[in-house]
Amino acid sequence: MHEDDEQMSELDKSGLCCVIKDNYGAFVYTNETMSQIFGIPGGFAGRTDYHLMPDTDAANIRTNDKNVLMSGEQLETVETVHQIGAKRYFAVWKFRIMVNSIRFLGVFALLFDATDDELEKASKQAQKQLREEAEPLRPTLESLAGKFAYQERK
């Protein structure tokens, strides 16, 4: 098995959404969990959040993405996506990945459901679970971004 395939396989086995976006907000890599949750035929490459969700949700997510890409500071938060007529919550951890002078956004996300009354408690539990599961995967995602940067320079 090729090293890239091994890395992607490790990320695909995760129950987390594992994502790399370019500096413009387009998806460069998404794992199998993303495909299952959003069911996008033909894959995600080159698409943006605006292809997956209502514009209002996509705009909020893109604002967070831009802030992380520009500042270099990590963000742990909960983002809301309206899907199939319902609010769906994602605990997210976003961080900038620099490969030479190329900026990528790394994202790990955990889908969780909660009522409005349960949201605060459920968010804290989801954030804790997300961090525990994502920490060991971060080097793999960063390494994979390096491969995409190399392809971009060709």
Side-chain angles (χ1 to χ4, degrees), residues 87-106:
K87 271 198 250 182
R88 304 198 79 194
Y89 299 103
F90 290 84
V92 297
W93 176 28
K94 297 181 178 199
F95 49 92
R96 184 169 70 186
I97 302 170
M98 291 295 297
V99 181
N100 299 322
S101 61
I102 302 171
R103 285 186 290 202
F104 291 99
L105 182 71

Side-chain angles (χ1 to χ4, degrees), residues 65-78:
D65 292 356
K66 284 181 180 179
N67 288 339
V68 171
L69 281 166
M70 297 308 293
S71 73
E73 293 186 22
Q74 299 181 58
L75 174 66
E76 291 183 53
T77 190
V78 172

Side-chain angles (χ1 to χ4, degrees), residues 30-93:
T30 56
N31 70 340
E32 190 61 35
T33 301
M34 276 288 288
S35 296
Q36 291 171 0
I37 290 172
F38 287 98
I40 298 296
F44 290 81
R47 296 178 188 224
T48 69
D49 294 304
Y50 290 93
H51 293 99
L52 307 179
M53 62 194 71
D55 288 353
T56 307
D57 296 341
N60 291 333
I61 289 169
R62 184 65 185 139
T63 296
N64 287 341
D65 292 356
K66 284 181 180 179
N67 288 339
V68 171
L69 281 166
M70 297 308 293
S71 73
E73 293 186 22
Q74 299 181 58
L75 174 66
E76 291 183 53
T77 190
V78 172
E79 293 177 334
T80 305
V81 174
H82 293 81
Q83 189 182 38
I84 316 167
K87 271 198 250 182
R88 304 198 79 194
Y89 299 103
F90 290 84
V92 297
W93 176 28

Side-chain angles (χ1 to χ4, degrees), residues 84-132:
I84 316 167
K87 271 198 250 182
R88 304 198 79 194
Y89 299 103
F90 290 84
V92 297
W93 176 28
K94 297 181 178 199
F95 49 92
R96 184 169 70 186
I97 302 170
M98 291 295 297
V99 181
N100 299 322
S101 61
I102 302 171
R103 285 186 290 202
F104 291 99
L105 182 71
V107 182
F108 290 108
L110 175 66
L111 174 65
F112 69 97
D113 293 311
T115 64
D116 290 341
D117 293 339
E118 302 169 330
L119 185 56
E120 187 174 338
K121 183 179 179 184
S123 295
K124 287 179 183 175
Q125 290 173 336
Q127 286 290 78
K128 182 177 186 288
Q129 180 183 347
L130 171 67
R131 186 55 98 128
E132 288 170 358

